[in-house]
Protein backbone atom coordinates (compact mmCIF):
# COMPACT_ATOMS: atom_id res chain seq x y z
CA UNK A 1 0.00 0.00 0.00
CA UNK A 2 1.21 3.50 -0.80
CA UNK A 3 1.06 5.90 2.13
CA UNK A 4 -0.19 9.43 1.67
CA UNK A 5 1.89 12.18 3.29
CA UNK A 6 5.21 10.83 2.05
CA UNK A 7 8.40 12.79 1.53
CA UNK A 8 11.13 11.23 -0.59
CA UNK A 9 14.61 12.53 0.25
CA UNK A 10 17.30 11.99 -2.39
CA UNK A 11 20.80 12.27 -0.92
CA UNK A 12 23.44 12.94 -3.55
CA UNK A 13 20.88 14.89 -5.58
CA UNK A 14 23.51 16.58 -7.72
CA UNK A 15 25.37 13.35 -8.54
CA UNK A 16 25.29 11.20 -11.64
CA UNK A 17 23.11 8.38 -10.32
CA UNK A 18 20.45 10.81 -9.11
CA UNK A 19 20.37 12.80 -12.33
CA UNK A 20 20.48 9.85 -14.71
CA UNK A 21 18.44 7.24 -12.87
CA UNK A 22 16.71 8.34 -9.68
CA UNK A 23 15.01 11.52 -10.93
CA UNK A 24 13.92 10.17 -14.32
CA UNK A 25 12.45 7.17 -12.44
CA UNK A 26 10.68 9.40 -9.90
CA UNK A 27 9.30 11.48 -12.74
CA UNK A 28 8.16 8.35 -14.63
CA UNK A 29 6.21 7.27 -11.54
CA UNK A 30 4.82 10.77 -10.96
CA UNK A 31 3.72 11.15 -14.55
CA UNK A 32 1.81 7.88 -14.51
CA UNK A 33 0.18 8.62 -11.17
CA UNK A 34 2.13 6.03 -9.17
CA UNK A 35 3.54 8.28 -6.46
CA UNK A 36 1.58 8.77 -3.23
CA UNK A 37 -0.90 11.63 -2.99
CA UNK A 38 0.73 14.89 -1.75
CA UNK A 39 4.21 13.50 -2.31
CA UNK A 40 7.23 15.80 -1.97
CA UNK A 41 10.73 15.21 -3.22
CA UNK A 42 13.59 16.83 -1.36
CA UNK A 43 17.04 16.81 -2.94
CA UNK A 44 20.05 17.01 -0.62
CA UNK A 45 23.72 17.42 -1.54
CA UNK A 46 26.78 19.47 -0.71
CA UNK A 47 26.55 21.72 -3.77
CA UNK A 48 25.04 25.12 -2.97
CA UNK A 49 22.15 26.00 -5.26
CA UNK A 50 18.62 27.32 -5.06
CA UNK A 51 15.44 25.37 -5.78
CA UNK A 52 15.26 26.70 -9.35
CA UNK A 53 18.75 25.57 -10.27
CA UNK A 54 18.12 22.20 -8.61
CA UNK A 55 14.86 21.71 -10.49
CA UNK A 56 16.60 22.55 -13.74
CA UNK A 57 19.41 20.08 -13.10
CA UNK A 58 17.27 17.20 -11.98
CA UNK A 59 14.86 17.44 -14.87
CA UNK A 60 17.63 17.76 -17.48
CA UNK A 61 17.78 14.00 -18.04
CA UNK A 62 14.04 13.51 -18.30
CA UNK A 63 13.33 12.59 -21.89
CA UNK A 64 10.75 14.39 -23.98
CA UNK A 65 12.16 13.87 -27.47
CA UNK A 66 9.05 15.01 -29.36
CA UNK A 67 8.33 17.99 -27.10
CA UNK A 68 5.05 16.44 -26.06
CA UNK A 69 3.09 19.24 -24.32
CA UNK A 70 1.52 16.80 -21.88
CA UNK A 71 4.97 15.64 -20.70
CA UNK A 72 6.27 19.23 -20.63
CA UNK A 73 3.33 20.22 -18.39
CA UNK A 74 3.99 17.27 -16.08
CA UNK A 75 7.65 18.27 -15.80
CA UNK A 76 6.56 21.72 -14.66
CA UNK A 77 4.21 20.17 -12.06
CA UNK A 78 6.99 17.84 -10.95
CA UNK A 79 9.30 20.81 -10.38
CA UNK A 80 6.71 22.29 -8.02
CA UNK A 81 6.90 19.32 -5.68
CA UNK A 82 10.72 19.33 -5.68
CA UNK A 83 12.81 21.37 -3.25
CA UNK A 84 16.45 21.37 -2.30
CA UNK A 85 18.56 21.55 0.84
CA UNK A 86 22.32 21.82 0.75
CA UNK A 87 24.46 20.41 3.55
CA UNK A 88 27.34 18.19 4.52
CA UNK A 89 27.18 14.44 4.89
CA UNK A 90 29.08 14.09 8.13
CA UNK A 91 27.79 16.76 10.50
CA UNK A 92 24.71 16.69 12.61
CA UNK A 93 23.65 20.37 12.20
CA UNK A 94 23.21 19.87 8.44
CA UNK A 95 20.78 17.04 9.13
CA UNK A 96 18.93 19.07 11.75
CA UNK A 97 18.50 21.69 9.08
CA UNK A 98 17.11 19.04 6.72
CA UNK A 99 14.74 17.87 9.45
CA UNK A 100 13.37 21.42 9.78
CA UNK A 101 12.80 21.56 6.05
CA UNK A 102 10.90 18.26 6.17
CA UNK A 103 8.72 19.54 9.02
CA UNK A 104 7.93 22.71 7.09
CA UNK A 105 6.59 20.56 4.22
CA UNK A 106 4.77 18.16 6.49
CA UNK A 107 2.96 20.78 8.52
CA UNK A 108 0.71 21.28 5.48
CA UNK A 109 -0.29 17.65 5.33
CA UNK A 110 -3.93 16.92 6.14
CA UNK A 111 -3.11 14.43 8.90
CA UNK A 112 -0.29 14.13 11.40
CA UNK A 113 1.03 10.97 9.78
CA UNK A 114 4.38 11.62 8.09
CA UNK A 115 6.22 8.97 6.09
CA UNK A 116 9.77 9.33 4.85
CA UNK A 117 11.72 7.46 2.22
CA UNK A 118 15.45 8.20 2.15
CA UNK A 119 17.31 7.36 -1.05
CA UNK A 120 21.10 7.28 -0.76
CA UNK A 121 22.44 8.00 -4.25
CA UNK A 122 25.89 8.39 -2.72
CA UNK A 123 29.44 7.05 -2.78
CA UNK A 124 29.96 4.27 -0.22
CA UNK A 125 32.38 6.37 1.86
CA UNK A 126 29.42 8.36 3.23
CA UNK A 127 26.78 5.59 3.51
CA UNK A 128 27.32 5.14 7.23
CA UNK A 129 27.47 8.80 8.38
CA UNK A 130 24.43 9.69 6.27
CA UNK A 131 22.44 6.69 7.49
CA UNK A 132 23.39 7.44 11.09
CA UNK A 133 22.61 11.17 11.01
CA UNK A 134 19.38 10.55 9.13
CA UNK A 135 18.24 8.15 11.81
CA UNK A 136 19.24 10.55 14.59
CA UNK A 137 17.85 13.77 13.13
CA UNK A 138 15.33 13.00 10.39
CA UNK A 139 13.52 9.85 11.51
CA UNK A 140 9.77 10.35 11.58
CA UNK A 141 8.12 9.30 14.81
CA UNK A 142 4.68 9.59 13.21
CA UNK A 143 4.87 7.18 10.30
CA UNK A 144 6.95 4.83 8.24
CA UNK A 145 10.66 5.32 7.55
CA UNK A 146 12.57 3.49 4.84
CA UNK A 147 16.08 3.78 3.50
CA UNK A 148 17.28 2.77 0.01
CA UNK A 149 20.96 2.01 -0.52
CA UNK A 150 22.81 0.86 -3.55
CA UNK A 151 26.03 -1.02 -4.27
CA UNK A 152 28.93 -1.18 -3.76
CA UNK A 153 28.28 -3.01 -0.51
CA UNK A 154 31.92 -3.37 0.43
CA UNK A 155 34.73 -4.87 -1.61
CA UNK A 156 34.82 -8.36 -0.14
CA UNK A 157 33.19 -10.50 2.51
CA UNK A 158 34.78 -8.77 5.51
CA UNK A 159 34.25 -5.19 4.35
CA UNK A 160 30.64 -5.99 3.41
CA UNK A 161 29.96 -7.46 6.84
CA UNK A 162 31.50 -4.40 8.45
CA UNK A 163 29.41 -2.02 6.35
CA UNK A 164 26.21 -3.92 6.98
CA UNK A 165 26.74 -4.08 10.70
CA UNK A 166 27.44 -0.32 10.84
CA UNK A 167 24.24 0.41 8.92
CA UNK A 168 22.31 -1.96 11.15
CA UNK A 169 23.22 0.13 14.17
CA UNK A 170 20.68 2.66 12.98
CA UNK A 171 18.38 0.96 10.44
CA UNK A 172 16.49 -2.30 10.88
CA UNK A 173 16.56 -4.91 8.11
CA UNK A 174 12.85 -4.38 7.39
CA UNK A 175 13.43 -0.66 6.92
CA UNK A 176 16.37 -1.21 4.54
CA UNK A 177 15.99 -1.63 0.78
CA UNK A 178 19.23 -2.66 -0.96
CA UNK A 179 18.91 -2.04 -4.66
CA UNK A 180 20.31 -4.29 -7.32
CA UNK A 181 18.58 -2.71 -10.26
CA UNK A 182 18.72 -5.93 -12.30
CA UNK A 183 15.99 -7.25 -10.01
CA UNK A 184 13.73 -4.50 -11.34
CA UNK A 185 14.18 -5.50 -14.98
CA UNK A 186 11.08 -6.89 -16.61
CA UNK A 187 12.66 -10.05 -18.01
CA UNK A 188 14.39 -10.87 -14.73
CA UNK A 189 11.03 -10.67 -12.99
CA UNK A 190 9.54 -12.84 -15.71
CA UNK A 191 11.91 -15.67 -14.80
CA UNK A 192 9.65 -16.70 -11.92
CA UNK A 193 6.66 -16.98 -14.23
CA UNK A 194 8.53 -18.64 -17.09
CA UNK A 195 9.90 -21.26 -14.77
CA UNK A 196 7.11 -21.94 -12.36
CA UNK A 197 3.99 -21.29 -14.42
CA UNK A 198 5.02 -23.56 -17.32
CA UNK A 199 5.21 -27.31 -16.94
CA UNK A 200 7.09 -27.48 -20.24
CA UNK A 201 9.89 -25.30 -18.92
CA UNK A 202 9.97 -26.78 -15.43
CA UNK A 203 10.39 -30.28 -16.85
CA UNK A 204 13.60 -29.37 -18.66
CA UNK A 205 15.14 -27.24 -15.95
CA UNK A 206 17.89 -29.48 -14.60
CA UNK A 207 21.10 -31.40 -15.22
CA UNK A 208 19.25 -34.11 -17.17
CA UNK A 209 18.35 -31.73 -19.97
CA UNK A 210 20.74 -28.79 -19.72
CA UNK A 211 24.37 -29.04 -20.80
CA UNK A 212 25.59 -25.55 -19.89
CA UNK A 213 24.32 -22.05 -19.18
CA UNK A 214 25.77 -18.66 -20.06
CA UNK A 215 24.70 -15.38 -18.51
CA UNK A 216 26.30 -12.55 -20.46
CA UNK A 217 26.51 -8.80 -20.07
CA UNK A 218 27.96 -6.80 -22.95
CA UNK A 219 28.35 -3.04 -23.10
CA UNK A 220 29.61 -1.21 -26.18
CA UNK A 221 31.28 1.61 -24.25
CA UNK A 222 34.24 1.92 -21.89
CA UNK A 223 34.60 3.60 -18.53
CA UNK A 224 33.79 7.07 -19.89
CA UNK A 225 35.24 9.15 -17.09
CA UNK A 226 34.13 6.67 -14.41
CA UNK A 227 37.64 5.22 -14.40
CA UNK A 228 38.36 6.37 -10.87
CA UNK A 229 35.50 4.32 -9.44
CA UNK A 230 35.90 1.48 -11.87
CA UNK A 231 39.59 0.93 -11.32
CA UNK A 232 39.01 0.43 -7.63
CA UNK A 233 36.29 -2.14 -8.21
CA UNK A 234 36.75 -3.89 -11.59
CA UNK A 235 34.14 -5.70 -13.67
CA UNK A 236 33.60 -8.59 -11.25
CA UNK A 237 32.51 -6.29 -8.41
CA UNK A 238 30.73 -3.96 -10.81
CA UNK A 239 28.55 -6.50 -12.60
CA UNK A 240 29.19 -10.21 -11.97
CA UNK A 241 29.07 -10.48 -8.20
CA UNK A 242 25.76 -8.60 -8.02
CA UNK A 243 23.72 -8.25 -11.22
CA UNK A 244 24.64 -11.54 -12.90
CA UNK A 245 24.66 -13.55 -9.69
CA UNK A 246 21.18 -12.28 -8.86
CA UNK A 247 19.98 -13.44 -12.27
CA UNK A 248 21.66 -16.81 -11.71
CA UNK A 249 20.00 -17.27 -8.33
CA UNK A 250 16.49 -16.72 -9.70
CA UNK A 251 17.23 -18.90 -12.71
CA UNK A 252 18.33 -21.84 -10.59
CA UNK A 253 16.54 -21.63 -7.23
CA UNK A 254 13.86 -24.13 -6.22
CA UNK A 255 10.18 -23.24 -6.36
CA UNK A 256 9.37 -20.85 -3.49
CA UNK A 257 6.51 -21.78 -1.18
CA UNK A 258 4.83 -18.44 -2.00
CA UNK A 259 5.56 -15.17 -3.72
CA UNK A 260 6.30 -13.50 -0.39
CA UNK A 261 9.62 -11.68 -0.31
CA UNK A 262 10.99 -13.91 2.44
CA UNK A 263 10.06 -17.16 0.70
CA UNK A 264 11.66 -16.02 -2.54
CA UNK A 265 14.81 -14.79 -0.87
CA UNK A 266 15.09 -17.96 1.26
CA UNK A 267 15.26 -20.01 -1.95
CA UNK A 268 17.80 -17.67 -3.53
CA UNK A 269 20.08 -17.93 -0.52
CA UNK A 270 19.72 -21.71 -0.47
CA UNK A 271 20.92 -22.13 -4.04
CA UNK A 272 23.75 -19.60 -3.61
CA UNK A 273 24.98 -21.53 -0.61
CA UNK A 274 25.41 -24.59 -2.84
CA UNK A 275 27.95 -22.73 -5.02
CA UNK A 276 31.58 -23.20 -3.93
CA UNK A 277 34.01 -20.27 -4.25
CA UNK A 278 35.33 -19.78 -7.78
CA UNK A 279 38.87 -20.99 -8.40
CA UNK A 280 41.41 -19.19 -10.55
CA UNK A 281 41.36 -21.99 -13.15
CA UNK A 282 37.76 -21.00 -13.80
CA UNK A 283 38.42 -17.36 -14.63
CA UNK A 284 39.35 -15.48 -17.79
CA UNK A 285 40.23 -11.81 -17.40
CA UNK A 286 40.53 -9.12 -20.06
CA UNK A 287 41.21 -5.42 -20.41
CA UNK A 288 40.32 -3.36 -23.47
CA UNK A 289 42.95 -1.60 -25.53
CA UNK A 290 42.47 1.01 -28.23
CA UNK A 291 40.54 -0.19 -31.28
CA UNK A 292 37.97 0.99 -33.81
CA UNK A 293 39.10 4.58 -33.27
CA UNK A 294 38.26 4.40 -29.59
CA UNK A 295 40.75 4.78 -26.73
CA UNK A 296 41.93 1.91 -24.55
CA UNK A 297 41.20 1.59 -20.83
CA UNK A 298 44.67 2.88 -19.90
CA UNK A 299 44.10 5.98 -22.07
CA UNK A 300 41.38 7.11 -19.62
CA UNK A 301 42.94 9.94 -17.58
CA UNK A 302 41.21 8.74 -14.42
CA UNK A 303 42.91 5.32 -14.65
CA UNK A 304 46.49 4.62 -13.40
CA UNK A 305 48.79 4.00 -16.37
CA UNK A 306 49.89 0.58 -15.14
CA UNK A 307 46.46 -0.67 -14.08
CA UNK A 308 45.76 -4.40 -14.44
CA UNK A 309 42.11 -3.97 -13.49
CA UNK A 310 39.89 -6.33 -15.52
CA UNK A 311 37.24 -4.70 -17.70
CA UNK A 312 36.16 -8.14 -18.89
CA UNK A 313 35.71 -11.35 -16.92
CA UNK A 314 34.30 -14.78 -17.59
CA UNK A 315 33.90 -17.17 -14.66
CA UNK A 316 32.51 -20.66 -14.26
CA UNK A 317 30.26 -21.39 -11.31
CA UNK A 318 28.99 -24.78 -10.23
CA UNK A 319 25.98 -25.59 -8.14
CA UNK A 320 26.45 -28.61 -5.95
CA UNK A 321 22.87 -29.72 -5.53
CA UNK A 322 20.77 -32.50 -6.96
CA UNK A 323 19.22 -30.38 -9.69
CA UNK A 324 22.35 -28.80 -11.13
CA UNK A 325 25.36 -30.94 -10.27
CA UNK A 326 27.78 -31.02 -13.21
CA UNK A 327 26.20 -28.14 -15.16
CA UNK A 328 28.65 -25.26 -15.69
CA UNK A 329 27.22 -21.75 -15.34
CA UNK A 330 29.37 -19.26 -17.21
CA UNK A 331 28.98 -15.67 -16.06
CA UNK A 332 30.66 -13.19 -18.36
CA UNK A 333 30.68 -9.42 -18.54
CA UNK A 334 32.66 -6.83 -20.39
CA UNK A 335 32.95 -3.15 -21.17
CA UNK A 336 33.85 -1.77 -24.62
CA UNK A 337 32.60 -4.83 -26.50
CA UNK A 338 30.99 -5.11 -29.92
CA UNK A 339 27.36 -4.73 -28.81
CA UNK A 340 24.93 -3.93 -25.99
CA UNK A 341 23.29 -7.12 -24.82
CA UNK A 342 22.36 -8.94 -21.65
CA UNK A 343 21.09 -12.46 -22.07
CA UNK A 344 20.78 -15.94 -20.61
CA UNK A 345 21.60 -18.81 -22.94
CA UNK A 346 20.69 -22.30 -21.75
CA UNK A 347 22.08 -24.95 -24.03
CA UNK A 348 20.42 -28.35 -23.95
CA UNK A 349 22.21 -31.67 -24.22
CA UNK A 350 22.68 -33.51 -27.50
CA UNK A 351 19.69 -35.39 -28.78
CA UNK A 352 20.03 -39.18 -28.71
CA UNK A 353 22.22 -40.11 -31.68
CA UNK A 354 21.20 -42.73 -34.20
CA UNK A 355 18.62 -41.43 -36.58
CA UNK A 356 20.03 -37.89 -36.29
CA UNK A 357 23.67 -36.95 -36.56
CA UNK A 358 25.37 -33.53 -36.40
CA UNK A 359 22.19 -31.83 -35.38
CA UNK A 360 22.20 -28.52 -33.49
CA UNK A 361 21.42 -28.52 -29.82
CA UNK A 362 18.30 -26.80 -28.56
CA UNK A 363 18.94 -23.48 -26.88
CA UNK A 364 16.65 -21.37 -24.78
CA UNK A 365 17.66 -17.72 -24.98
CA UNK A 366 16.20 -15.19 -22.58
CA UNK A 367 17.19 -11.71 -23.67
CA UNK A 368 17.03 -9.26 -20.80
CA UNK A 369 17.99 -6.24 -22.91
CA UNK A 370 17.76 -4.61 -25.34
CA UNK A 371 14.38 -5.64 -26.77
CA UNK A 372 13.18 -8.28 -24.31
CA UNK A 373 12.65 -11.70 -25.86
CA UNK A 374 12.46 -15.39 -25.10
CA UNK A 375 13.25 -17.77 -27.92
CA UNK A 376 13.81 -21.46 -28.19
CA UNK A 377 16.03 -22.84 -30.92
CA UNK A 378 14.32 -25.95 -32.25
CA UNK A 379 15.16 -28.30 -35.07
CA UNK A 380 12.43 -28.68 -37.60
CA UNK A 381 11.99 -30.53 -40.88
CA UNK A 382 12.74 -28.41 -43.91
CA UNK A 383 9.34 -27.90 -45.50
CA UNK A 384 8.94 -29.71 -48.79
CA UNK A 385 10.22 -33.02 -50.14
CA UNK A 386 13.43 -33.12 -48.16
CA UNK A 387 13.60 -34.74 -44.73
CA UNK A 388 16.53 -32.63 -43.61
CA UNK A 389 16.29 -31.02 -40.16
CA UNK A 390 17.14 -27.32 -39.89
CA UNK A 391 17.50 -25.08 -36.83
CA UNK A 392 14.50 -22.74 -36.40
CA UNK A 393 13.14 -20.59 -33.59
CA UNK A 394 10.02 -20.33 -31.47
CA UNK A 395 10.10 -16.66 -30.75
CA UNK A 396 8.45 -14.50 -28.11
CA UNK A 397 9.73 -11.03 -28.83
CA UNK A 398 7.99 -8.58 -26.52
CA UNK A 399 7.80 -5.77 -29.08
CA UNK A 400 5.76 -7.98 -31.38
CA UNK A 401 3.66 -9.77 -28.77
CA UNK A 402 2.90 -6.97 -26.30
CA UNK A 403 2.59 -4.08 -28.70
CA UNK A 404 0.78 -1.61 -26.45
CA UNK A 405 2.51 -2.32 -23.18
CA UNK A 406 4.99 0.11 -21.69
CA UNK A 407 7.75 -1.75 -19.90
CA UNK A 408 8.71 0.18 -16.76
CA UNK A 409 12.31 1.16 -16.19
CA UNK A 410 13.99 -0.95 -13.51
CA UNK A 411 14.41 1.99 -11.13
CA UNK A 412 10.75 2.99 -11.48
CA UNK A 413 9.62 -0.51 -10.58
CA UNK A 414 11.98 -0.69 -7.60
CA UNK A 415 11.19 2.72 -6.12
CA UNK A 416 7.51 1.84 -6.35
CA UNK A 417 8.16 -1.46 -4.55
CA UNK A 418 10.04 0.39 -1.79
CA UNK A 419 7.18 2.87 -1.42
CA UNK A 420 4.79 -0.06 -1.07
CA UNK A 421 7.04 -1.89 1.37
CA UNK A 422 7.63 -4.91 -0.87
CA UNK A 423 11.10 -6.37 -0.33
CA UNK A 424 10.94 -9.17 -2.93
CA UNK A 425 13.16 -7.41 -5.46
CA UNK A 426 15.71 -6.10 -2.97
CA UNK A 427 18.78 -7.84 -1.67
CA UNK A 428 18.66 -9.30 1.83
CA UNK A 429 21.72 -9.19 4.10
CA UNK A 430 22.36 -12.94 3.94
CA UNK A 431 22.22 -12.90 0.12
CA UNK A 432 25.09 -10.44 0.12
CA UNK A 433 27.03 -12.59 2.50
CA UNK A 434 26.83 -15.71 0.32
CA UNK A 435 27.46 -13.70 -2.85
CA UNK A 436 30.71 -12.36 -1.40
CA UNK A 437 31.74 -15.82 -0.19
CA UNK A 438 31.63 -17.09 -3.78
CA UNK A 439 33.74 -14.25 -5.19
CA UNK A 440 36.07 -13.11 -2.38
CA UNK A 441 38.93 -15.64 -2.90
CA UNK A 442 39.16 -14.87 -6.60
CA UNK A 443 38.95 -11.12 -5.97
CA UNK A 444 41.78 -11.31 -3.45
CA UNK A 445 43.85 -13.17 -6.04
CA UNK A 446 43.09 -10.47 -8.64
CA UNK A 447 43.91 -7.76 -6.09
CA UNK A 448 47.35 -9.33 -5.62
CA UNK A 449 46.90 -10.51 -2.05
CA UNK A 450 48.23 -13.96 -2.86
CA UNK A 451 51.19 -12.98 -5.05
CA UNK A 452 51.63 -10.92 -8.20
CA UNK A 453 48.45 -9.58 -9.74
CA UNK A 454 47.27 -11.57 -12.78
CA UNK A 455 47.55 -9.73 -16.09
CA UNK A 456 44.32 -9.51 -18.06
CA UNK A 457 44.33 -10.44 -21.76
CA UNK A 458 44.07 -7.42 -24.01
CA UNK A 459 41.08 -7.11 -26.38
CA UNK A 460 40.41 -4.26 -28.80
CA UNK A 461 37.62 -1.78 -28.04
CA UNK A 462 34.55 -2.91 -29.97
CA UNK A 463 35.57 -6.59 -30.23
CA UNK A 464 33.90 -9.74 -28.80
CA UNK A 465 36.39 -9.90 -25.92
CA UNK A 466 39.74 -11.65 -25.33
CA UNK A 467 40.74 -14.15 -28.03
CA UNK A 468 40.76 -16.99 -25.46
CA UNK A 469 37.02 -16.58 -24.87
CA UNK A 470 35.73 -19.12 -27.39
CA UNK A 471 37.98 -21.91 -26.15
CA UNK A 472 37.17 -20.98 -22.52
CA UNK A 473 33.46 -21.47 -23.20
CA UNK A 474 33.89 -24.54 -25.36
CA UNK A 475 35.92 -26.18 -22.61
CA UNK A 476 32.72 -26.06 -20.54
CA UNK A 477 30.88 -28.09 -23.13
CA UNK A 478 29.28 -25.30 -25.15
CA UNK A 479 28.77 -26.36 -28.77
CA UNK A 480 28.47 -23.62 -31.34
CA UNK A 481 25.18 -24.15 -33.21
CA UNK A 482 25.46 -25.29 -36.85
CA UNK A 483 23.89 -22.11 -38.20
CA UNK A 484 26.15 -19.68 -36.27
C1 LIG B 1 25.82 -0.59 -13.00
C2 LIG B 1 27.29 -0.65 -13.25
O1 LIG B 1 25.51 -1.21 -11.80
O2 LIG B 1 25.13 -1.24 -14.05
C3 LIG B 1 27.63 -0.03 -14.58
O3 LIG B 1 27.97 0.04 -12.22
C4 LIG B 1 26.79 -0.66 -15.69
O4 LIG B 1 29.01 -0.17 -14.88
C5 LIG B 1 25.33 -0.66 -15.32
O5 LIG B 1 27.00 0.12 -16.86
C6 LIG B 1 24.51 -1.43 -16.33
O6 LIG B 1 23.15 -1.23 -16.10
P1 LIG B 1 22.10 -1.37 -17.28
O7 LIG B 1 20.78 -1.24 -16.63
O8 LIG B 1 22.40 -0.27 -18.25
O9 LIG B 1 22.34 -2.72 -17.88
Amino acid sequence: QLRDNTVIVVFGASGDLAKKKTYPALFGLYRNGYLPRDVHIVGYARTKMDDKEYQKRTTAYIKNPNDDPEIAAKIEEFKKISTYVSGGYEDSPSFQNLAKHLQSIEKNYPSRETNRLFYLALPPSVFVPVATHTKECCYSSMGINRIIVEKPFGKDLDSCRELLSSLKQSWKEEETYRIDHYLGKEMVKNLLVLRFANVAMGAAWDKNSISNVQISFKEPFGTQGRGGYFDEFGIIRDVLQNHLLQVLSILTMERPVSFSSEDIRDEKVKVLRAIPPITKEDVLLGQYVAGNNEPGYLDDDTVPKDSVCPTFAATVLRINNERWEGVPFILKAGKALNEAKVEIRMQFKDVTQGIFKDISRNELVIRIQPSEAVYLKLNSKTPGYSFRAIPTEMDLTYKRRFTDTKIPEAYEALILDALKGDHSNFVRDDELDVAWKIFTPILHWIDGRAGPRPRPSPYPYGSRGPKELDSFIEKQGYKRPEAD
Side-chain angles (χ1 to χ4, degrees):
Q1 276 296 307
L2 286 182
R3 318 283 293 216
D4 291 343
N5 305 357
T6 292
V7 179
I8 301 171
V9 180
V10 181
F11 289 108
S14 57
D16 243 30
L17 175 66
K19 280 190 292 194
K20 292 188 180 149
K21 301 280 189 191
T22 320
Y23 278 94
L26 285 169
F27 175 73
L29 290 172
Y30 178 75
R31 183 185 158 207
N32 294 305
Y34 287 123
L35 288 186
R37 225 168 346 144
D38 292 331
V39 69
H40 270 84
I41 298 165
V42 177
Y44 183 99
R46 279 191 287 235
T47 316
K48 292 217 173 356
M49 61 183 147
D50 59 15
D51 284 351
K52 268 223 152 53
E53 173 62 19
Y54 156 76
Q55 289 157 358
K56 201 171 95 197
R57 285 199 199 187
T58 48
T59 50
Y61 281 86
I62 295 173
K63 292 194 188 96
N64 187 7
N66 303 323
D67 287 329
D68 180 333
E70 186 247 337
I71 300 181
K74 279 282 175 197
I75 293 178
E76 288 313 305
E77 267 181 37
F78 183 71
K79 285 182 180 170
K80 290 196 186 118
I81 58 158
S82 306
T83 49
Y84 180 75
V85 176
S86 101
Y89 291 133
E90 315 216 19
D91 63 300
S92 205
S94 292
F95 288 82
Q96 285 157 9
N97 186 34
L98 172 63
K100 275 194 210 127
H101 183 76
L102 299 180
Q103 283 150 14
S104 72
I105 294 169
E106 291 165 346
K107 73 175 188 309
N108 298 319
Y109 280 150
S111 81
R112 292 188 60 215
E113 182 184 327
T114 55
N115 304 297
R116 296 176 180 175
L117 176 71
F118 300 98
Y119 192 120
L120 272 58
L122 290 169
S125 54
V126 289
F127 281 175
V128 175
V130 170
T132 314
H133 288 306
T134 304
K135 176 68 194 285
E136 272 167 21
C137 307
C138 303
Y139 196 83
S140 163
S141 53
M142 301 295 293
I144 284 175
N145 294 272
R146 294 184 180 132
I147 187 164
I148 301 184
V149 270
E150 191 151 356
K151 77 168 173 67
F153 300 113
K155 294 184 79 178
D156 60 7
L157 182 60
D158 287 346
S159 52
C160 172
R161 283 185 176 164
E162 208 180 300
L163 174 70
L164 257 50
S165 86
S166 306
L167 291 171
K168 275 170 198 264
Q169 311 264 323
S170 38
W171 291 86
K172 295 193 219 91
E173 182 67 19
E174 62 267 28
E175 294 171 326
T176 307
Y177 291 76
R178 295 183 200 92
I179 283 199
D180 181 312
H181 77 284
Y182 267 59
L183 294 177
K185 293 199 186 258
E186 186 64 26
M187 194 51 94
V188 176
K189 291 186 179 173
N190 188 22
L191 287 175
L192 283 182
V193 180
L194 274 181
R195 289 193 56 196
F196 299 118
N198 292 298
V199 174
M201 293 282 178
W205 221 264
D206 61 21
K207 64 183 180 194
N208 299 321
S209 304
I210 305 293
S211 160
N212 59 81
V213 179
Q214 294 180 55
I215 305 179
S216 323
F217 167 101
K218 297 174 86 177
E219 255 179 4
F221 47 84
T223 41
Q224 291 185 322
R226 274 174 90 221
Y229 152 81
F230 193 87
D231 204 72
E232 206 188 312
F233 288 87
I235 193 75
I236 295 185
R237 292 184 178 96
D238 194 42
V239 174
L240 270 87
Q241 182 268 352
N242 32 70
H243 303 329
L244 299 194
L245 195 66
Q246 282 295 336
V247 172
L248 174 81
S249 66
I250 303 175
L251 190 75
T252 56
M253 70 185 197
E254 295 301 313
R255 187 187 192 88
V257 177
S258 79
F259 277 134
S260 81
S261 55
E262 295 320 309
D263 284 341
I264 293 174
R265 296 188 301 177
D266 283 349
E267 292 305 334
K268 284 166 68 187
V269 170
K270 225 186 279 170
V271 75
L272 290 175
R273 286 179 56 207
I275 303 178
I278 302 164
T279 60
K280 57 183 183 207
E281 291 68 41
D282 281 335
V283 178
L284 170 65
L285 301 175
Q287 188 186 79
Y288 66 89
V289 295
N292 296 300
N293 294 323
E294 297 288 349
Y297 179 66
L298 299 182
D299 300 322
D300 184 330
D301 289 340
T302 53
V303 166
K305 289 294 157 244
D306 56 350
S307 170
V308 286
C309 172
T311 59
F312 175 97
T315 60
V316 186
L317 279 71
R318 295 170 210 282
I319 305 177
N320 291 336
N321 66 14
E322 210 174 353
R323 181 186 290 276
W324 294 116
E325 190 176 46
V327 180
F329 288 83
I330 302 159
L331 267 48
K332 54 186 172 49
K335 299 259 172 196
L337 294 178
N338 58 334
E339 60 182 342
K341 197 189 272 179
V342 181
E343 67 174 25
I344 304 166
R345 188 169 286 262
M346 303 179 77
Q347 187 170 66
F348 288 72
K349 291 193 163 168
D350 283 322
V351 77
T352 307
Q353 298 291 303
I355 52 172
F356 290 113
K357 288 207 173 48
D358 300 328
I359 199 158
S360 290
R361 288 176 166 182
N362 292 141
E363 273 185 23
L364 177 68
V365 182
I366 302 171
R367 192 162 65 229
I368 296 172
Q369 65 191 37
S371 180
E372 293 84 349
V374 181
Y375 56 94
L376 179 62
K377 296 193 174 193
L378 283 181
N379 295 304
S380 187
K381 184 183 110 40
T382 329
Y385 297 112
S386 151
F387 196 70
R388 212 164 58 86
I390 49 158
T392 54
E393 281 169 11
M394 258 166 55
D395 185 355
L396 166 62
T397 293
Y398 273 35
K399 266 196 199 125
R400 281 200 292 271
R401 178 62 181 77
F402 305 111
T403 41
D404 295 331
T405 316
K406 176 191 178 295
I407 295 180
E409 289 295 327
Y411 277 92
E412 287 180 28
L414 292 173
I415 294 173
L416 185 60
D417 282 349
L419 283 164
K420 288 182 171 166
D422 181 353
H423 268 102
S424 315
N425 295 313
F426 293 86
V427 185
R428 205 168 62 186
D429 49 359
D430 52 348
E431 280 183 81
L432 277 178
D433 210 81
V434 270
W436 279 118
K437 277 186 185 150
I438 296 169
F439 281 94
T440 294
I442 203 72
L443 286 165
H444 283 178
W445 169 65
I446 294 170
D447 291 346
R449 294 219 200 166
R453 296 186 69 177
R455 295 204 82 77
S457 284
Y459 62 95
Y461 196 120
S463 65
R464 289 179 56 242
K467 58 181 184 320
E468 300 87 343
L469 179 61
D470 284 343
S471 58
F472 181 87
I473 294 170
E474 276 155 25
K475 215 170 81 193
Q476 301 307 325
Y478 179 73
K479 276 198 195 167
R480 208 150 283 287
E482 299 283 293
D484 265 21

